[in-house]
């Protein structure tokens, strides 16, 4: 800092009275960099002073070590506790000897007893809560940069630009994917969280109270993968697959509809998950998340919403049983199937008008009334006409298409929330032009994005 100020003083003296020194536009940047260097030196002194403490008795000396912080890499001296072979089992001691003979260690800094009963070689580093050699503050910034940027190289540049911490693309990638794997593991046991949202005054003014509702949405979306991960994967309609599916789930609450009866979601009260698991395992994962949010507590009415795919219906039936659970087939997916039917059944010039009428019937009265309307409207078609096959979608799901009733009860009729989650949690980061992922890496990074969308801290 002193060096920057002295240079500024010299430049001001040289430019003469009434003039400003050159480079003032980057003065704040230079001062910030200088302050960062000074703070790194101060932090090194503080950590060295703390590191000489011996919480587990006399250490095996002090060693130079370091950690990545918001001020860059900071080196410091820390008490070191070496292995205690006398406390090892015979099997562990022999395994360590064999590893030493082959010129390698079983694990960096060991997974074996240490002098004084220390849990780690450097107790101070454990107390700092380092993750992948980084302080929690830096780890949080790195993970958010990895999710927000379009590539790992761009993420490393974004971290350097906003935090002043520089690291190579490979290091950035390794640390981001490690955090993603931790995020996937954290999804297995979600913490209980049933918040009481503080609704802003403007929202209270334009909405009315309704029965508290817990909504559960699920869908799947594809991630482009390398050839190695596409072997043995079946594509749709017998075509060659280009993507592998990750499954996305959203659980949230709402307590108030707007003036048109549409639900207004509680601000900041949604939980997202992304998983590469199969449908049965994902159903169990989503149920655990719903239980952590109040499912089964009797505090909420329950609505499950999906696009009507078979695996979605199976999860709704098996993971969320109960007469009080309302399963809703997405209205907008139903409209797509309706348009397909009318496109086959009617001349092209009549499709648009017929679709508007049929869509209104579906929205006001539901799937059963729509089937009656379509059979009457297209009764002139022969029984073997291919258009009738399209009605199978509505026949199977008509009990979950009572959209008029859902709207009167202030429930969702569409799955726009989960469609948006597929874009923000998966597509925005993993489906850009030219990308091809290892499937497990894509799933890890998407799980990290879902974690931040759930307002959870860094993994």
């Amino acid at each position: 800092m002193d060096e920057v100020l002295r240079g500024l003083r010299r430049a001001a003296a040289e430019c003469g009275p009434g003039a400003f020194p050159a480079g003032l536009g980057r003065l704040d940047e230079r001062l910030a960099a200088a302050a960062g260097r000074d703070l790194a030196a101060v932090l090194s002194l503080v950590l060295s002073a703390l590191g000489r403490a011996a919480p587990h008795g006399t250490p095996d000396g002090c060693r130079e070590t370091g950690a990545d912080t918001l001020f860059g890499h900071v080196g410091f001296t820390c008490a070191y506790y070496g292995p205690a072979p006398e406390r090892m089992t015979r099997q562990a001691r022999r395994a360590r000897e064999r590893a030493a003979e082959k010129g390698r260690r079983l694990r960096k800094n060991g997974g074996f007893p240490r002098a004084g009963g220390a849990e780690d070689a450097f107790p101070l580093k454990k107390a700092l809560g380092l993750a992948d050699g980084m302080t929690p503050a830096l780890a949080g910034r790195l993970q958010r940069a990895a999710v927000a940027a379009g590539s790992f190289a761009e993420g490393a540049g974004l971290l350097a630009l906003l935090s002043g911490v520089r690291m190579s693309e490979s290091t950035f990638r390794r640390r981001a994917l490690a955090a993603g794997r931790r995020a996937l593991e954290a999804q297995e046991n979600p913490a209980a969280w049933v918040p009481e949202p503080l609704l802003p005054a403007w929202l209270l003014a334009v909405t009315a109270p309704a029965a508290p509702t817990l909504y559960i949405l699920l869908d799947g979306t594809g991630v482009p993968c390398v050839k190695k991960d596409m072997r043995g994967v079946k594509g749709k309609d017998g075509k060659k697959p280009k993507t592998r599916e990750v499954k996305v789930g959203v659980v949230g609450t709402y307590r108030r509809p707007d003036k048109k009866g549409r639900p207004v979601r509680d601000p900041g009260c949604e939980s997202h998950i992304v998983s590469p698991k199969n449908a049965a395992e994902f159903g169990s994962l989503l149920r655990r998340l719903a239980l952590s949010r109040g499912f089964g507590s009797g505090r909420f009415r329950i609505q499950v919403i999906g696009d009507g795919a078979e695996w979605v219906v199976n999860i709704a039936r098996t993971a969320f049983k109960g007469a009080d659970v309302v399963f809703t087939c997405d209205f907008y997916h139903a409209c797509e199937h309706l348009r397909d039917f009318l496109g086959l059944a009617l001349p092209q010039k009549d499709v648009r008008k017929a679709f508007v009428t049929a869509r209104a019937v579906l929205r006001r009265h539901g799937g059963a009334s729509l089937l009656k309307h379509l059979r009457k409207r297209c009764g002139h078609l022969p029984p073997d006409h291919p258009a009738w096959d399209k009605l199978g979608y509505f026949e199977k799901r008509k009990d979950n298409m009572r959209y008029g009733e859902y709207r009167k009860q202030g429930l969702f009729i569409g799955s726009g929330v989960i469609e948006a989650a597929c874009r923000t949690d998966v597509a925005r980061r993993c489906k850009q032009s030219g990308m091809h992922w290892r499937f497990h890496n894509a799933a890890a990074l998407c799980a990290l994005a879902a974690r931040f969308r759930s307002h959870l801290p860094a993994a």
Side-chain angles (χ1 to χ4, degrees), residues 64-130:
E64 290 291 333
T65 183
D68 287 339
T69 72
L70 291 179
F71 311 122
H73 185 79
V74 173
F76 54 92
T77 303
C78 183
Y80 172 76
Y81 291 86
E86 67 279 1
R87 299 180 60 202
M88 292 184 183
T89 63
R90 183 175 59 180
Q91 291 82 357
R93 186 164 55 251
R94 288 181 176 177
R96 186 166 178 266
E97 291 171 356
R98 287 195 298 269
E101 290 173 0
K102 295 179 180 179
R104 63 175 183 271
R105 289 180 289 183
L106 293 178
R107 188 165 67 87
K108 188 174 181 180
N109 288 331
F112 34 78
R114 294 187 171 274
E119 298 180 4
D120 196 81
F122 299 100
L124 176 61
K125 296 180 76 171
K126 186 175 182 63
L128 289 173
L130 301 183

Side-chain angles (χ1 to χ4, degrees), residues 16 124 167 198 230 251 255 364 396:
L124 176 61
M167 64 178 66
L198 297 174
M230 297 304 298
V251 178
R255 292 168 171 81
R364 293 175 184 175
K396 291 180 180 179

Side-chain angles (χ1 to χ4, degrees), residues 107-456:
R107 188 165 67 87
K108 188 174 181 180
N109 288 331
F112 34 78
R114 294 187 171 274
E119 298 180 4
D120 196 81
F122 299 100
L124 176 61
K125 296 180 76 171
K126 186 175 182 63
L128 289 173
L130 301 183
D132 299 319
M134 298 179 291
T135 60
L138 178 60
R141 286 161 174 76
L142 180 143
Q143 292 171 29
R144 289 187 179 276
V147 169
S151 65
F152 292 116
E154 183 181 338
L158 183 63
L159 181 67
L161 178 65
L162 299 181
S163 298
V165 179
R166 301 185 180 277
M167 64 178 66
S168 68
E169 178 185 351
S170 59
T171 300
F172 183 90
R173 177 182 182 276
R174 173 175 55 80
R175 288 174 168 176
L177 293 178
R181 290 190 289 272
R182 292 194 295 271
L184 279 174
E185 294 174 2
Q187 290 181 166
E188 299 290 337
N189 297 292
W193 183 49
V194 187
E196 292 291 341
L198 297 174
L199 303 180
W202 67 266
L203 183 58
L204 296 173
V206 298
T207 59
T213 304
L214 181 77
Y215 57 87
I216 304 164
L217 299 102
L218 60 160
D219 199 1
T221 186
V223 175
C225 294
V226 298
K227 290 182 179 179
K228 185 176 182 178
D229 284 343
M230 297 304 298
R231 294 170 186 163
V233 179
K234 296 181 180 179
K236 293 183 179 180
D237 303 323
K239 297 180 181 178
K240 184 178 179 181
K242 296 182 179 179
T243 62
R244 286 190 63 176
E245 187 179 58
V246 292
K247 293 176 174 59
V248 184
V250 175
V251 178
T253 57
Y254 65 86
R255 292 168 171 81
R256 305 177 75 88
D258 63 13
K259 292 181 179 180
K260 295 184 178 180
R262 297 172 299 192
V264 178
R265 294 174 287 160
D266 292 340
C269 293
E270 278 188 351
S271 298
H272 293 229
I273 57 171
V274 178
S275 175
K277 295 185 174 183
N278 59 40
E281 293 174 336
F282 179 74
S284 176
L285 195 69
L286 187 59
R287 179 180 172 83
R288 289 199 293 273
L289 178 62
L291 287 170
S292 73
R293 294 299 310 274
F295 175 69
S297 65
R299 298 178 55 182
F300 301 96
R301 57 178 181 174
I302 311 298
Q303 185 181 21
V304 182
I305 312 158
D307 61 6
E310 289 297 331
W311 69 271
V312 172
V313 175
N314 290 337
I315 288 178
R317 289 174 179 169
T318 58
F320 302 101
K321 299 177 182 178
D324 58 333
V325 177
V326 178
F327 175 59
T328 304
C329 184
D330 175 47
F331 173 75
Y332 300 99
H333 279 84
C335 288
E336 292 177 5
H337 288 271
L338 174 59
R339 186 179 287 277
D340 292 341
F341 169 81
L342 294 174
L344 293 173
L346 300 176
Q348 191 62 35
K349 61 184 181 64
D350 298 331
V351 170
R352 180 179 176 82
K353 183 177 180 180
F355 173 74
V356 172
T357 303
R359 184 179 181 273
V361 172
L362 177 63
R363 188 170 185 269
R364 293 175 184 175
H365 306 291
S369 297
L370 175 68
L371 288 170
K372 294 179 183 178
H373 170 77
L374 293 178
R375 290 192 176 105
K376 182 178 179 181
R377 176 70 175 79
C378 302
H380 62 281
L381 297 177
D384 59 346
H385 195 281
W388 295 120
D389 296 335
K390 296 291 184 180
L391 290 187
Y393 178 87
F394 297 96
E395 287 284 1
K396 291 180 180 179
R397 299 163 178 83
K398 61 184 178 182
D399 292 336
N400 307 122
M401 294 182 176
R402 302 191 299 272
Y403 300 119
E405 296 180 21
Y406 301 151
R407 290 168 57 222
K408 289 179 182 178
Q409 297 174 30
L411 296 171
F412 283 110
I413 64 170
S415 61
V417 174
I418 194 66
E419 297 295 336
C422 288
R423 290 193 293 272
T424 57
D425 297 352
V426 180
R428 186 173 66 179
R429 181 61 182 88
C430 296
K431 298 177 73 173
Q432 299 186 41
S433 177
M435 283 188 171
H436 291 85
W437 289 83
R438 290 304 306 270
F439 185 52
H440 61 277
N441 288 342
L445 205 58
C446 293
L448 190 60
R451 183 174 180 84
F452 289 131
R453 289 276 291 166
S454 303
H455 307 284
L456 294 174

